[in-house]
Amino acid sequence: MDDSPSPGLPHPGADPKLITDWVAGWAASRGTPAPVERPWGLYMAVGDERLLGRHVLLEADEATVHQVAAAVRVPHTWMMVFAEPEVVTGWLPSGWEVDHAETGHLMTAGLQTTRPVPPEGYTRTVESRDGVTYVRVDDAATGDPAASGQAAVLGETAVMDRILTQEAHRRRGLGSLVMRTLADSTVAAGATLGLLGATPQGRALYETLGWKAHSILTECVYRP
């Protein structure tokens, strides 16, 4: 018998505390205003022309999704729901759609120190500002950026963000180098748990480093 929740019924999304910590860390990393509590979850003001703001629902059910979405009047407002995109699609009112390119997973990992070394031909810099650690890897010959990432530490939780390897430098272990370097730095700052929002492409890399998918996160956008 199929034990999955029926459409319209609550879905077992992510742990609300993990969501709250991740959202707060994301805002700290990006330098956006602190998330504001709402009866159904959190609202993040972002201010980008493509992402004006994001409603983050702490529980996933049809009534809540429809209520929050129906109250939105400004295009390019987003909503994050921790339920399968196929289910969420059926809950959305007119003007809303699931953005499958942005849909991914909330992932977690116990952090540990590994002291990674840059591969030959690359240099690495690490700096911290206002509670955010930035890692950059450059091509030693040209000085061009090859990979980068950052992390915000909130108590014992570190939120990894903006992990990127340039196309010409992929498959050389640089993504792993950035992630391990961020882990080392955040452990030194007192973090024990890592959180990140992963794209389907990024998830494969993170899983090789011991990260686990905690919950699917479905991104919806208002494009009337």
Side-chain angles (χ1 to χ4, degrees):
M1 182 173 62
D2 184 2
D3 294 325
S4 60
S6 300
L9 297 180
H11 279 239
D15 179 338
K17 185 180 186 307
L18 289 182
I19 300 174
T20 301
D21 288 348
W22 175 60
V23 170
W26 190 96
S29 173
R30 303 291 177 108
T32 61
V36 177
E37 292 188 10
R38 292 286 187 258
W40 35 259
L42 302 163
Y43 177 74
M44 309 164 63
V46 180
D48 186 272
E49 63 179 12
R50 188 177 163 275
L51 173 52
L52 296 180
R54 177 188 281 124
H55 299 277
V56 182
L57 277 57
L58 295 183
E59 294 187 4
D61 63 77
E62 182 175 10
T64 303
V65 169
H66 196 277
Q67 177 186 5
V68 174
V72 172
R73 297 290 183 268
V74 181
H76 303 295
T77 298
W78 292 66
M79 178 171 57
M80 182 176 290
V81 185
F82 291 84
E84 295 80 0
E86 296 79 10
V87 173
V88 176
T89 296
W91 294 348
L92 296 173
S94 176
W96 282 85
E97 62 185 54
V98 170
D99 190 310
H100 292 278
E102 296 295 331
T103 291
H105 286 82
L106 179 63
M107 302 189 73
T108 64
L111 300 176
Q112 57 184 336
T113 300
T114 59
R115 298 182 178 84
V117 177
E120 184 175 354
Y122 292 96
T123 61
R124 173 186 55 191
T125 58
V126 182
E127 60 178 321
S128 295
R129 301 190 303 273
D130 301 322
V132 181
T133 296
Y134 301 86
V135 173
R136 172 170 165 160
V137 180
D138 294 327
D139 185 312
T142 66
D144 293 335
S148 59
Q150 60 198 62
V153 176
L154 302 174
E156 296 182 350
T157 301
V159 176
M160 311 302 187
D161 188 29
R162 287 179 165 167
I163 311 302
L164 174 66
T165 301
Q166 300 298 327
E167 183 70 36
H169 300 276
R170 292 178 181 172
R171 298 181 180 84
R172 302 182 188 182
L174 301 186
S176 174
L177 172 67
V178 168
M179 289 292 292
R180 292 182 187 277
T181 302
L182 286 172
D184 281 12
S185 297
T186 55
V187 166
T192 58
L193 175 69
L195 292 174
L196 61 81
T199 63
Q201 296 81 6
R203 177 181 174 180
L205 165 65
Y206 305 135
E207 287 180 334
T208 66
L209 299 175
W211 288 70
K212 299 184 183 301
H214 174 73
S215 173
I216 191 166
L217 55 88
T218 295
E219 289 276 20
C220 312
V221 57
Y222 183 53
R223 295 182 180 131

